[in-house]
Amino acid sequence: MSNPESLTDPAESNAGLAKGSDADAVKKLFIKTYGCQMNVYDSERMAEAMGAKGYVLTDKADDADMVLLNTCHIREKASEKLYSDLGRLKPLKRDKPDLKIGVAGCVAQAEGAEIRRRMPLVDIVVGPQAYHRLPAMVEAGGAQVDTDFPVEDKFEHLPQRKGYRGPTAFLTVQEGCDKFCAFCVVPYTRGAEVSRPAARLMHEARELVARGVREITLLGQNVNGYHGEGEGKDWTLARLIRELAEIDGLDRIRYTTSHPNDMDDDLIAAHGDVPQLMPYLHLPVQSGSDRILKAMNRKHTRDQYFRLIDRIRAARPDILMTSDFIVGFPGETDQDFADTMDLVARVGYGAAFSFKYSARPGTPAAEKPGVEAAVADARLQALQRLILDQQHAAQAAMVGREISVLYEKPGRLPGQMVGKSDHLMAVHVSDPEGRIGDLVRARVTAASSNSLAAERLF
Ligand code: 5AD
Ligand code: SF4
């Protein structure tokens, strides 16, 4: 599992979108996406919006008429990356004064006009709820800052997903978070929980499937808290998944990120009775200590989490669980950390992200001193070692098993295809006849640390 803090490779973050030809008339847009999958989705939608104004994507910032940095504010390191990248753009802007530089995403929301004060080379600052206005801001010219949370639904103002290419797609179904974990900026940068209407999501999903998409990952900061209106009824995430599973040609459904307290009975049942719902669940717990869970305002205990996982595994025994962890939260003792290690050992994860606590301005936890840096570093290392061992064990356990693979791109070797398994593991298959978008059966022949090798079954 790659670290979400690392920058998404621009080629990857632009995946699925049409790239432009080199014709002179078109304008070129370079987008760099930081952080989570919600940002990857937002980048795609911004590219589509700018596409309607004649912009095509480029992989090279040097070639671009506009550079857009879609930022992440979740940890200090993620935030600071924006400023170092802006510093690196200075010579480019000097050589090309017409180059437009935009900052989008959660740093834009949190810091607004401050970004232009610190880095005057920035032309446009646009928050995650206002980016449907980006084309108008670009057209208007001059410096522009828009960090509104407009009442209108931004998705209604975005163009249809006509340019989408590729077998997998993200679909944002819910935004924002009302949980207010003591360490987290999301409720402030992304705002309160809002669910998109079910009918519109069904429409967007059908549009994607019509373009060849076979796997949709439903996205939300708190995706299993989804409560959308549809046909006068309230749709839960489980209901949405069940309806999506009726779409012909949609072979795989995933969702992320979930909160343990919003795993309702029907959603757990769906893991057992909706074949299109993949056997993979990212269910962050953050800590294994009841004391720290309470201080984090997570509103559940470690025992409740264990019982929940037992129920999920009863519904879908081969499900692969993943999580997020924070070490070094203010007040975390050796015993608290030992409880986290114990929880990981008991659950057995397929992969997990783990982070050193980072104090974020404006959050309740930021008022308390964190754990000494050297102690937090040592804890992070120990936790990551344990998680990596579990990840390798989960990969190794796949050897000999029959899996499905959805091809996403050609591999490095001739005749090789690369795709993802049901359990979201990267798989290499030697298949000279294979094409992107094929969903094939395969038998796993070997496991390396980050991927599986498999042979196609006919
Ligand atoms: N410090 C460290 N990690 C954090 N996360 C969120 N806020 C912080 C913070 N202040 C982690 C959580 C969350 C993931 C997306 O990022 O583990 O689940
Ligand atoms: Fe942040 Fe997730 Fe907690 Fe919401 S549930 S406050 S997004 S960590």
Side-chain angles (χ1 to χ4, degrees):
M1 212 169 183
S2 64
N3 191 317
E5 206 177 72
S6 68
L7 298 187
T8 311
D9 177 69
E12 199 176 297
S13 68
N14 288 343
L17 288 163
K19 298 229 169 71
S21 69
D22 285 332
D24 284 343
V26 294
K27 291 202 168 150
K28 292 186 186 154
L29 172 65
F30 173 85
I31 305 185
K32 187 164 187 172
T33 307
Y34 310 62
C36 67
Q37 289 156 329
M38 304 276 300
N39 270 9
V40 176
Y41 176 87
D42 289 345
S43 289
E44 288 172 3
R45 302 305 311 262
M46 285 191 276
E48 287 161 1
M50 294 304 290
K53 299 283 170 204
Y55 279 80
V56 297
L57 286 172
T58 172
D59 290 345
K60 295 181 217 80
D62 293 358
D63 273 2
D65 300 287
M66 177 167 179
V67 170
L68 188 61
L69 304 176
N70 192 11
T71 60
C72 171
H73 198 238
I74 197 102
R75 286 169 291 275
E76 193 181 358
K77 236 163 72 190
S79 246
E80 281 305 312
K81 274 192 191 138
L82 165 68
Y83 290 103
S84 56
D85 283 348
L86 285 173
R88 266 185 265 139
L89 285 173
K90 273 185 190 163
L92 196 61
K93 179 93 171 184
R94 214 176 298 131
D95 295 348
K96 246 176 139 177
D98 287 346
L99 174 73
K100 284 197 192 313
I101 297 182
V103 174
C106 293
V107 180
Q109 188 62 41
E111 295 184 11
E114 178 60 27
I115 296 174
R116 290 202 67 254
R117 267 193 289 279
R118 206 168 144 185
M119 285 284 180
L121 84 172
V122 173
D123 302 289
I124 289 172
V125 177
V126 63
Q129 298 307 329
Y131 67 72
H132 54 293
R133 299 176 183 163
L134 181 63
M137 293 168 83
V138 173
E139 224 158 60
Q144 309 254 355
V145 176
D146 189 345
T147 52
D148 269 7
F149 269 67
V151 279
E152 81 250 33
D153 179 2
K154 75 175 170 228
F155 296 107
E156 203 158 75
H157 294 79
L158 290 166
Q160 293 197 333
R161 310 208 61 187
K162 292 254 181 324
Y164 200 87
R165 287 184 177 72
T168 66
F170 291 130
L171 176 55
T172 292
V173 305
Q174 175 278 332
E175 288 196 283
C177 185
D178 298 338
K179 296 273 190 260
F180 290 93
C181 298
F183 51 80
C184 186
V185 287
V186 167
Y188 312 98
T189 53
R190 290 269 177 172
E193 274 178 33
V194 178
S195 293
R196 296 181 62 194
R200 264 200 254 151
L201 295 173
M202 293 301 295
H203 177 76
E204 196 173 323
R206 285 198 191 95
E207 218 169 52
L208 289 167
V209 173
R211 301 209 61 81
V213 167
R214 304 186 73 170
E215 174 181 298
I216 291 182
T217 301
L218 307 175
L219 295 181
Q221 257 95 29
N222 192 21
V223 70
N224 57 341
Y226 177 78
H227 274 287
E229 281 170 35
E231 295 161 15
K233 286 175 239 125
D234 225 19
W235 283 31
T236 59
L237 187 68
R239 169 88 193 270
L240 182 63
I241 288 168
R242 291 180 189 285
E243 300 281 344
L244 287 168
E246 299 293 317
I247 299 178
D248 236 15
L250 182 57
D251 298 293
R252 290 173 157 194
I253 302 169
R254 306 180 187 277
Y255 62 94
T256 195
T257 289
S258 298
H259 192 287
N261 290 353
D262 286 331
M263 286 303 299
D264 64 38
D265 292 348
D266 196 21
L267 187 55
I268 295 173
H271 277 282
D273 61 37
V274 178
Q276 292 91 334
L277 186 56
M278 291 292 101
Y280 179 98
L281 178 58
H282 185 59
L283 195 62
V285 64
Q286 314 294 355
S287 169
S289 151
D290 279 339
R291 237 174 46 83
I292 296 297
L293 285 171
K294 192 159 197 298
M296 285 177 164
N297 194 32
R298 294 289 295 180
K299 298 201 170 87
H300 66 78
T301 63
R302 61 186 260 127
D303 268 346
Q304 283 167 329
Y305 185 75
F306 287 139
R307 282 202 296 276
L308 178 59
I309 288 191
D310 286 346
R311 287 169 56 218
I312 296 164
R313 283 185 168 148
R316 183 76 204 235
D318 70 335
I319 200 161
L320 192 116
M321 299 295 308
T322 67
S323 180
D324 293 340
F325 293 93
I326 295 176
V327 300
F329 187 80
E332 186 187 67
T333 63
D334 286 343
Q335 182 56 51
D336 294 321
F337 178 64
D339 288 347
T340 296
M341 293 292 275
D342 176 70
L343 178 142
V344 174
R346 280 174 62 172
V347 171
Y349 290 100
F353 296 119
S354 47
F355 310 100
K356 202 159 65 160
Y357 168 71
S358 163
R360 306 305 291 128
T363 59
E367 283 154 28
K368 299 179 201 127
V371 165
E372 200 188 316
V375 174
D377 282 333
R379 287 178 186 167
L380 188 63
Q381 271 190 33
L383 178 59
Q384 290 188 338
R385 233 177 291 125
L386 175 60
I387 289 168
L388 210 59
D389 285 349
Q390 292 191 342
Q391 185 179 324
H392 291 164
Q395 302 259 134
M398 291 291 164
V399 177
R401 279 174 60 171
E402 197 183 316
I403 57 172
S404 81
V405 186
L406 178 58
Y407 291 159
E408 289 178 17
K409 56 187 178 188
R412 285 212 187 94
L413 303 176
Q416 194 184 49
M417 297 301 294
V418 184
K420 296 272 166 43
S421 73
D422 330 46
H423 294 96
L424 204 59
M425 291 176 180
V427 189
H428 294 81
V429 185
S430 171
D431 185 358
E433 313 280 276
R435 285 172 316 163
I436 292 172
D438 285 351
L439 182 63
V440 305
R441 304 295 308 167
R443 186 170 312 280
V444 181
T445 53
S448 66
S449 53
N450 286 317
S451 66
L452 303 174
E455 59 188 17
R456 183 165 175 184
L457 300 172
F458 288 94

